[in-house]
């Protein structure tokens, strides 16, 4: 996939989210976070709540440059499956471990350590972490 095709894919995915009430991060925030990840050369990212994978893909495209990896969690089956398709469409599936799980159940079971953690879920539930 060319850089132009990837950019067009991200634009379409963002538009799809806006049209379907999927609370994807803004492009401004995606750029800010990608810059932070890139500056710190974060290799192991944990994303708590992927929805249809827009933010996951933004991060994956950054860390793919230096062989980083992402773990992301989502408990809506529709969102999880959409994300899986989107990861494949932009060729980043190989660097994403994607759990179809309730984050509250799986987080205590994760044994790896991460150097960048992005929590992007229902804000009222954040106190559980
Ligand atoms: C704000 S959206 C994530 C948006 C995504 N980070 C992006 O920018 O593209 C929040 C997502 O968290 C999921 N979610 C909420 N609570 C969850 C839980 N306990 N475990 C797993 N997923 C959860 C919802 O299904 C929803 O898709």
């Amino acid at each position: 996939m060319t850089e132009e095709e990837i950019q067009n894919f991200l634009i379409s995915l963002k538009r799809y989210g806006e049209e379907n009430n999927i609370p994807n991060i803004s492009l401004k925030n995606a750029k800010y976070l990608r810059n932070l990840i890139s500056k710190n050369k974060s290799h192991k990212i944990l994303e708590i709540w992927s929805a249809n994978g827009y933010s996951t893909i933004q991060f994956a495209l950054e860390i793919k440059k230096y062989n980083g990896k992402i773990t992301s969690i989502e408990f809506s089956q529709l969102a999880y499956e959409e994300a899986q398709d989107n990861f494949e469409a932009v060729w980043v599936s190989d660097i994403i471990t994607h759990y179809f799980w309730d984050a509250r159940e799986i987080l205590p079971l994760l044994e790896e350590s991460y150097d960048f953690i992005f929590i992007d879920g229902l804000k009222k539930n954040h106190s559980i972490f």
Side-chain angles (χ1 to χ4, degrees):
M1 212 176 196
T2 65
E3 186 56 35
E4 191 184 349
E5 286 168 333
I6 290 172
Q7 290 315 317
N8 288 338
F9 181 88
L10 286 171
I11 290 167
S12 308
L13 190 55
K14 184 77 182 108
R15 192 177 308 132
Y16 175 83
E18 285 160 4
E19 289 167 359
N20 291 280
N21 295 321
I22 300 168
N24 300 125
I25 55 170
S26 65
L27 181 58
K28 187 177 167 202
N29 284 345
K31 282 184 178 166
Y32 173 79
L33 292 168
R34 278 182 71 157
N35 192 32
L36 204 58
I37 287 166
S38 170
K39 266 194 195 154
N40 292 315
K41 288 284 169 291
S42 305
H43 270 80
K44 290 181 69 182
I45 295 179
L46 173 63
E47 177 184 61
I48 303 173
W49 305 336
S50 39
N52 64 344
Y54 177 77
S55 54
T56 327
I57 291 171
Q58 289 279 7
F59 305 153
L61 292 170
E62 202 55 54
I63 62 170
K64 199 177 179 179
K65 297 172 189 167
Y66 50 82
N67 295 319
K69 304 262 183 222
I70 300 185
T71 295
S72 190
I73 307 164
E74 174 56 54
F75 76 172
S76 149
Q77 187 166 4
L78 176 65
Y80 176 85
E81 287 174 0
E82 284 184 359
Q84 291 287 103
D85 290 344
N86 290 329
F87 297 158
E88 278 171 29
V90 282
W91 303 351
V92 290
S93 308
D94 57 325
I95 60 167
I96 300 171
T97 301
H98 196 205
Y99 289 112
F100 173 44
W101 216 297
D102 187 325
R104 289 167 292 191
E105 291 175 6
I106 197 169
L107 280 173
L109 308 177
L110 297 179
E111 291 185 340
E112 299 206 36
S113 57
Y114 301 91
D115 47 19
F116 187 96
I117 298 178
F118 179 55
I119 302 174
D120 190 24
L122 303 172
K123 308 301 180 266
K124 66 179 181 180
N125 285 346
H126 279 191
S127 60
I128 62 171
F129 302 114

